[in-house]
Amino acid sequence: MVTFAYRATDARGEVRNGLVQGGSEAQAKAALRRQGLYPLEIEERAPARAAPGALDGLRRLRSPRGELPAFTRSLASFLAAGFPLDRALAMCAELVSHPRLDTAIRRVRRDVQTGRSLAAALEGDPALFDPLYSSSVGAAERAGALDAGLASLAAHLEERRELGHQLRSILLYPAVMAVVGALAVAVMMVFVLPRFADILEGAGQSLPWATSLLLGVSRTVGRWWWAILALALLAGAFVRAWARTAEGRRSWDAALLSAPGLGTLVRKLVAARFGRSLGTLLQNGVPLPAALRLSADTLGNVVATQAVRDAQGRVREGESLAAALGRSDVLPGPALRMVAVGEETGRLEDLLLRTAELYEGEVRRDLRTLVGLVEPAMILVLGALVGFVALAMIQAVFSINEVPL
């Protein structure tokens, strides 16, 4: 049963406020009429939430966009089952667990009840529902196929999230290995080696060059660790601030596209994002120029974004999409050929989505191969460092005992 807040009049015309329960809004109104009340306003009351706790704090730390694919899929399913839009939104609000998304859905439902379109209501929260999302919904509403458009949009969001999760999981192991290796070396330099230094220097004998070098580095790190840490933080902050500027971001993204080996991987990732976004927008009925403008903002690379925006202007002038995109060296050649075939056959959105699937698979395989090469290299580097430390200490011990190594 759902609780509704009501404002109603009785037979004498007096206004009353209160709560009533019912399986739907119609049942709640019927219950009021049985009580001799005539409803003026009735609104579903959100269920009381438990006091904030540790679990609520963890939910707030998560991004609400993580639940957006599930919300979109649920809304499409409810609409396809024949539920009215406001009722479908109310049921979706009950299913989500993130407070931020729950609040946004309830606000959207109130806007829809006042007569606004779903797309217009979504545009009121652009931080959560980006222009690609609201534009896809608006095109589907105008075409009279909102449930199908939402299902297509949900598939796009699910594929994008799945690709992101897989890329992060692939990169997690080498990142953890690098952090653990750096901490191990730092502990040896700051805590372990200074203890050996006192013992070795107390022997009064000259030390091998490797041991002297190692102890010198250890003393420097132990004495000036705060300065080294401060310099590292300052350098990181400077690079971060520079990368946030328009010129810095453009230079960084251009370097990524032109880097040997890595540039090919970045181009494939751009092609996957471009194909998935543009194909979804076209599938939902968004016109090509507007779809190009929206998909350009999803690429994650300002150089590629500018290239697609330039292509949008040329398409408006009558040039084919494949030719307009081919003027820049951003998308791989096979992707451009797929676009050309799609334009010739009139199946551009289908071939764009197939291109996205193709390059998403290639990005996963290439990244696994790259990580497979990086992991042994990191093991060799860490092994060499540990081996150098062990060899330097063994040389020092043997030199003290005057035993030739």
Side-chain angles (χ1 to χ4, degrees):
M1 300 292 284
V2 182
T3 301
F4 293 87
Y6 69 84
R7 183 168 173 267
T9 61
D10 57 15
R12 292 178 297 180
E14 295 181 357
V15 177
R16 296 187 183 184
N17 298 303
L19 300 175
V20 64
Q21 289 189 331
S24 65
E25 186 173 324
Q27 292 180 7
K29 290 180 178 179
L32 290 174
R33 293 190 185 97
R34 287 195 295 270
Q35 299 174 24
L37 299 176
Y38 302 92
L40 300 174
E41 296 178 1
I42 188 166
E43 183 178 8
E44 181 179 337
R45 173 67 61 88
R49 295 185 179 272
L55 184 58
D56 291 325
L58 291 175
R59 286 173 177 166
R60 290 181 184 276
L61 289 176
R62 301 196 326 263
S63 171
R65 293 184 65 85
E67 293 190 35
L68 201 54
F71 157 70
T72 308
R73 179 70 68 186
S74 299
L75 184 58
S77 300
F78 289 140
L79 293 177
F83 286 93
L85 179 57
D86 65 331
R87 183 59 182 156
L89 287 169
M91 290 188 291
C92 288
E94 299 294 336
L95 295 176
V96 301
S97 61
H98 198 287
R100 168 79 169 80
L101 183 57
D102 174 79
T103 302
I105 295 173
R106 294 184 185 279
R107 180 199 58 77
V108 168
R109 178 172 181 259
R110 289 194 298 271
D111 290 348
V112 168
Q113 289 175 328
T114 62
R116 299 183 70 186
S117 67
L118 177 59
L122 294 173
E123 289 172 356
D125 194 349
L128 183 56
F129 306 103
D130 58 26
L132 186 148
Y133 193 101
S134 56
S135 297
S136 297
V137 171
E141 281 185 303
R142 290 189 293 271
L146 184 56
D147 53 347
L150 286 169
S152 173
L153 184 59
H156 163 72
L157 295 174
E158 289 163 354
E159 289 292 339
R160 187 171 65 179
R161 185 183 62 176
E162 182 65 22
L163 178 61
H165 284 173
Q166 290 182 358
L167 296 183
R168 284 191 291 271
S169 65
I170 292 172
L171 295 173
L172 179 62
Y173 177 69
V176 171
M177 183 185 297
V179 171
V180 171
L183 288 176
V185 172
V187 168
M188 284 195 299
M189 288 291 188
V190 177
F191 298 105
V192 178
L193 292 179
R195 296 179 180 272
F196 280 96
D198 296 336
I199 298 174
L200 296 175
E201 292 175 350
Q205 295 187 14
S206 60
L207 298 176
W209 69 269
T211 307
S212 299
L213 174 63
L214 189 63
L215 294 179
V217 173
S218 176
R219 288 195 192 94
T220 302
V221 174
R223 183 177 301 175
W224 300 102
W225 64 268
W226 55 272
I228 297 172
L229 180 60
L231 286 174
L233 292 176
L234 285 174
F238 174 77
V239 171
R240 184 180 179 86
W242 172 78
R244 285 183 173 179
T245 63
E247 185 61 32
R249 178 66 185 276
R250 182 173 181 82
S251 300
W252 175 258
D253 288 348
L256 287 178
L257 287 171
S258 59
L262 184 60
T264 302
L265 180 62
V266 173
R267 280 183 170 81
K268 290 179 179 180
L269 183 58
V270 167
R273 289 174 175 172
F274 176 73
R276 181 69 62 186
S277 301
L278 184 61
T280 300
L281 288 166
L282 294 177
Q283 194 175 56
N284 288 339
V286 179
L288 179 58
L292 283 171
R293 175 178 55 83
L294 294 168
S295 61
D297 296 328
T298 67
L299 304 182
N301 186 291
V302 296
V303 177
T305 296
Q306 187 59 49
V308 174
R309 287 175 179 169
D310 294 341
Q312 176 197 359
R314 297 189 183 98
V315 168
R316 287 184 181 276
E317 296 172 357
E319 190 172 355
S320 69
L321 177 59
L325 292 172
R327 292 176 178 268
S328 63
D329 188 23
V330 170
L331 295 180
L336 293 175
R337 287 192 287 274
M338 292 282 279
V339 171
V341 172
E343 287 184 296
E344 292 172 2
T345 60
R347 298 174 55 241
L348 180 57
E349 60 271 21
D350 295 335
L351 287 177
L352 282 169
L353 293 174
R354 297 214 25 204
T355 300
E357 294 175 2
L358 171 67
Y359 280 106
E360 284 167 357
E362 289 196 14
V363 166
R364 296 186 189 101
R365 289 191 295 271
D366 291 352
L367 198 55
R368 288 193 187 97
T369 302
L370 181 61
V371 170
L373 296 174
V374 169
E375 288 177 1
M378 293 177 63
I379 293 173
L380 287 175
V381 171
L382 293 176
L385 287 174
V386 174
F388 177 76
V389 172
L391 180 61
M393 302 313 298
I394 292 173
Q395 282 182 328
V397 171
F398 273 88
S399 67
I400 291 174
N401 290 280
E402 297 181 348
V403 177
L405 184 63

